Each structure stands twice: as structure tokens, then as C-alpha cells.
Amino acid sequence: MNQRPFLLGTVLLGLLLPSCFISRVRVNEAIDPVAYGRLEVGKSTQDDVLQELGAPADIVQLGFRSAWRYDHTHSKNATSFFVVLALQNVDTVQDRVWAFFDEEGLLTHIGATFDADKAEYQFPFSD
Amino acid sequence: MLSQPAKGLAVAICLACSSCVRVQWNRAMFCRGIDSNELTVLRAGESQLNDCLELFGSPLYVWQAGADQYAVAYGWDMDKGWGINVSIPVTQEFSASFDYDDLDRRLYGIVMTFDANDQLQYQRQGFLSEIAEGYLRRPSSFPGSGDEVGSEESSNQGAEEQSH
């Protein structure tokens, strides 16, 4: 019996199987779109925003006004090693909310981006 | 043509070096870009912050830009490149924190400046390291919170390209 193809297949499998990994990194808690939807410009206050979204990741002073940042980062890393060749793709996306307040602490503007679920495992040559 | 022993030696070298020598093909993407056609929708002296937030979503950065002005920035990045990496791991340490400082150096994006009445004054497009100086001068809120992935002696040679 010719065992050469079997041996070759086993060696190739042994080389390929332990040489790939995927990993995922999340930074900060996900932002709840429902909680975000409960905030109303001109009505909600800083206390309301704190109650709905929790503590902000950053606070920026804009004269007498202020803006708060919330973000949730999601990265997916797919890496394959073929002996000495490494193919790596890292896709990082974010959920972000910026809430702008006037000098009285009333919400004047708010903007959100919910993309964190769009991170993908891909090869570097994928579209 | 290589002789049989030479082939065996080449394969053995490849296998032996695979843990410290790598030819790499990398791609790193950060967020999704904004179509430059969409930028023409906003007009200086007319558009408001609300228009900007509705059109592009939440910005990446916001900062005070002068006495009565503030700026917002959107940024994204797609780095592609190949290289040769030689590394000798000494220890392993990993921090899951997100390093904005490192990101700032390579992000492409848009900066929009608004006046005290939230009216758009002007917008600029380019690398944030060049057009968002005001933000980059701002001291970090959390000193020393950057990534500490080091502890690896490495050299990396190759070509990189950026597309936006």
C-alpha cells in the first residue's frame, strides 16, 4: 500500500492546524442603543445621561459648555501562519456617542455611531 | 535543481526559523471611512452641528479650538503592507487598553470647526496628525494608560501602503 499521500497529508495538516488563530478584543462596555434612544435633546440633563449610559470615557470642556464621550471598541484579529508566511488582518470598529451640554448641563446635541458589531474576521486580501 | 539533501535542509531551516522569522502580509482597519462626496452636503456658514451629527454620526474627537470655537474630528485608517519580521521574545505582556496616541499618528479624516452658535466655520480633510493639532496638544486624561506590548526585540522591514 502506498502510504506516501497519507504521510504527506498528515505532515501538511500538522503544519497548518496549529498555525492559525483568531482573537477578539473589546474595550469598554457596549453602548445600549435603547438607553441612547431615551435621551432627548433639550430635555435630558447630565444626570439623565449618567443614568442611561453610565460614566463617560472622556469629558471635554468647551468654554462654559462640555461634551462627553462614550465609546466601545471591538477588534477582530485573524492570523494564519504558513511556515514562514504570516497573513494577518485586524478589523477595529467602534460604537461611539458624543453628548454636548450647555452651561446649565442640559443636553443640546447628541450623536451616535453603532458599528461595533460590524467587525469581521478576514484575510488581508479580502474585500 | 536542488539535490534531495539540500531540499531537506531548506525545509528544515524553514521549520526551525518559523517561530522567529516571518514574512508578513498585514492589513489593519480602523472604523469606516466617509465618502468625500458626502462632505459637499455641509456648507460653511450654513450647516449646524446637528447636520454634521446626523450625516456622519458621532465624531472620534471633540476639542476646544480657540476662544469661541470648537472642533470635531472623524477619522479612519486602512493600513496594508508586507514585511519581514525577526523577533526574539523575552517576556510576554499584553494590555487590552486602546491606544489612541498610536492611532493618531496614522489616521486619515476630517476636522470641522464650529462657532459658539454651533455653525460650521470650515472643514479640512487630511491626516489627523496634521490637521487636528489642537486635539493632539491636549494632555491625556489618563497618563500612562497606553499599550505596553513591548518586551520584544524586533526589526521590521518592508513596504507599507495606506488607502483611504
Side-chain angles (χ1 to χ4, degrees), chain A residues 13-55:
Chain A
L13 206 61
L15 285 175
L16 293 176
L17 277 183
S19 52
C20 305
F21 73 87
I22 57 171
S23 66
R24 191 168 69 169
V25 176
R26 288 175 179 269
V27 179
N28 295 338
E29 290 294 313
I31 300 170
D32 182 2
V34 178
Y36 168 79
R38 283 195 287 266
L39 298 172
E40 290 183 68
V41 169
K43 288 185 181 174
S44 300
T45 63
Q46 289 180 339
D47 284 344
D48 298 327
V49 176
L50 272 178
Q51 194 168 347
E52 295 294 346
L53 302 180

Side-chain angles (χ1 to χ4, degrees), chain B residues 2-163:
Chain B
L2 290 174
S3 65
Q4 199 72 7
K7 283 180 187 171
L9 186 64
V11 170
I13 289 173
C14 280
L15 290 176
C17 293
S18 62
S19 58
C20 53
V21 179
R22 283 196 304 269
V23 177
Q24 297 185 163
W25 184 5
N26 297 328
R27 183 175 67 172
M29 296 183 288
F30 177 78
C31 291
R32 306 296 185 246
I34 291 174
D35 186 347
S36 55
N37 290 330
E38 288 182 288
L39 290 174
T40 58
V41 176
L42 296 180
R43 293 180 183 282
E46 292 177 19
S47 301
Q48 296 283 315
L49 175 63
N50 266 339
D51 303 322
C52 169
L53 295 176
E54 280 176 22
L55 196 61
F56 302 129
S58 181
L60 190 60
Y61 304 127
V62 176
W63 70 96
Q64 179 86 40
D68 294 321
Q69 291 186 326
Y70 63 93
V72 305
Y74 295 82
W76 60 91
D77 176 55
M78 188 167 87
D79 269 340
K80 286 191 287 188
W82 62 269
I84 297 172
N85 185 284
V86 181
S87 65
I88 304 167
V90 180
T91 59
Q92 287 192 324
E93 189 176 335
F94 179 73
S95 167
S97 66
F98 192 69
D99 189 353
Y100 277 100
D101 291 340
D102 177 56
L103 197 62
D104 290 334
R105 294 186 205 113
R106 51 193 167 88
L107 278 186
Y108 190 83
I110 306 157
V111 171
M112 298 177 200
T113 304
F114 294 87
D115 65 13
N117 297 315
D118 304 310
Q119 192 170 67
L120 179 65
Q121 297 303 295
Y122 57 88
Q123 57 186 21
R124 286 186 291 175
Q125 197 170 351
F127 286 99
L128 292 191
S129 59
E130 295 166 5
I131 61 174
E133 309 92 346
Y135 178 82
L136 299 177
R137 280 200 304 270
R138 181 174 171 253
S140 170
S141 307
F142 307 101
S145 65
D147 264 357
E148 293 170 348
V149 184
S151 308
E152 194 176 61
E153 294 176 20
S154 66
S155 66
N156 197 337
Q157 297 179 330
E160 285 190 3
E161 67 176 274
Q162 283 191 315
S163 53

